Amino acid sequence: MTQPMSDDQVASELKKMTTFIRQEALEKAREIHIKADEEFAIEKSKLVRSETAAIDSQYEKRFKQAGMSQQITRSTMANKTRLKVLSARQELLEDLFEKSRNKLSKAAEGDKSKYAEIMKGLVLEGVYALSEKKLAIRAREKDYDVAKKAIEGATKEYKDTMAKEVEIELDEKNPLPEDSYGGVSIIGGGGKIDINNSLEERLKILEEDALPMVRTKLFGKNENRKFYD
């Protein structure tokens, strides 16, 4: 039969049990602490990587936006500069042609014999183009005397060149506007065909035909242009 433990023995056993339980608790607490530190380190690493990736993404986005903004700014400035250059070139061309118009407007008021030769050439051009037996000429009222001489000279030259007659009359019922630069209109086809050989029209044609050459002479060859007429 087991002898009951004395009070000292009971106290000793309780102390051993208490020490064991405390030791277990300390070790468990240490394990929990270590695991918590590990989990904290893992979560911290994940958070750092996530924030770093977010910062990198934000930086890359802002860098691209800044690059696009610079490109847009450069493109805008280049376009503005190009438009200014084109505008200045166009103003120069307009000024050049305006001076030509002003000079042309005074042609009829200068050397009358020279103007008569010009008129005859304009009449002849229309006569050759239409090649009809009967034609009409329109001119400014103040040019009627010069126009009549031009008709006479053109009729003779046409006959000498083509060996056939042409009748040209001056249409005094429908004169060209007095504020025009001069020249003539040649009417054929029974009044249905009108060849505008006024000085304004000839200058307009000259401007259109000569514009590419004038641009090249003034501003040089356009390296971006691949096709030419």
Side-chain angles (χ1 to χ4, degrees), residues 58-113:
Q58 185 104 6
Y59 174 78
E60 185 177 358
K61 183 179 179 181
R62 289 184 178 179
F63 183 77
K64 287 181 178 179
Q65 288 177 342
M68 289 179 63
S69 178
Q70 288 180 349
Q71 287 180 357
I72 292 172
T73 300
R74 285 196 295 266
S75 178
T76 301
M77 292 299 295
N79 285 336
K80 285 183 178 180
T81 302
R82 180 174 175 273
L83 289 174
K84 286 182 179 179
V85 171
L86 290 176
S87 178
R89 288 181 175 183
Q90 189 61 34
E91 287 181 7
L92 180 60
L93 290 172
E94 286 295 332
D95 182 62
L96 179 64
F97 289 136
E98 184 61 29
K99 287 179 179 178
S100 298
R101 294 185 196 104
N102 292 336
K103 188 174 181 180
L104 185 63
S105 67
K106 299 174 183 177
E109 311 303 327
D111 188 337
K112 293 297 182 180
S113 61

Side-chain angles (χ1 to χ4, degrees), residues 13-147:
E13 288 297 325
L14 286 172
K15 186 176 180 181
K16 289 179 181 179
M17 290 177 64
T18 301
T19 300
F20 177 76
I21 291 171
R22 183 183 292 112
Q23 186 64 33
E24 287 289 322
L26 288 173
E27 289 180 1
K28 192 67 176 177
R30 187 165 55 251
E31 290 177 3
I32 292 172
H33 182 72
I34 291 171
K35 187 175 182 181
D37 285 346
E38 290 176 351
E39 290 179 352
F40 174 77
I42 292 171
E43 290 300 321
K44 180 180 178 181
S45 177
K46 287 182 180 178
L47 182 62
V48 169
R49 286 197 301 269
S50 176
E51 289 299 320
T52 301
I55 292 171
D56 289 344
S57 176
Q58 185 104 6
Y59 174 78
E60 185 177 358
K61 183 179 179 181
R62 289 184 178 179
F63 183 77
K64 287 181 178 179
Q65 288 177 342
M68 289 179 63
S69 178
Q70 288 180 349
Q71 287 180 357
I72 292 172
T73 300
R74 285 196 295 266
S75 178
T76 301
M77 292 299 295
N79 285 336
K80 285 183 178 180
T81 302
R82 180 174 175 273
L83 289 174
K84 286 182 179 179
V85 171
L86 290 176
S87 178
R89 288 181 175 183
Q90 189 61 34
E91 287 181 7
L92 180 60
L93 290 172
E94 286 295 332
D95 182 62
L96 179 64
F97 289 136
E98 184 61 29
K99 287 179 179 178
S100 298
R101 294 185 196 104
N102 292 336
K103 188 174 181 180
L104 185 63
S105 67
K106 299 174 183 177
E109 311 303 327
D111 188 337
K112 293 297 182 180
S113 61
K114 186 175 180 180
Y115 182 51
E117 281 298 311
I118 293 174
M119 288 279 278
K120 186 183 82 169
L122 295 173
V123 172
L124 271 173
E125 186 175 291
V127 172
Y128 286 129
L130 293 172
S131 190
E132 296 181 12
K133 292 182 179 181
K134 188 173 182 179
L135 299 169
I137 299 297
R138 292 173 183 167
R140 300 182 302 182
E141 288 186 10
K142 58 184 176 183
D143 287 339
Y144 280 175
D145 289 341
V146 179

Side-chain angles (χ1 to χ4, degrees), residues 186-202:
I186 302 93
I187 312 300
K192 296 179 180 179
I193 301 175
D194 183 351
I195 295 180
N196 187 350
N197 254 1
S198 63
L199 296 184
E200 291 99 324
E201 185 64 20
R202 298 311 299 265

Side-chain angles (χ1 to χ4, degrees), residues 215-226:
R215 279 201 181 108
T216 301
K217 288 290 185 182
L218 291 176
F219 313 121
K221 184 179 179 182
N222 185 352
E223 298 298 333
N224 295 322
R225 188 174 181 183
K226 297 181 180 179

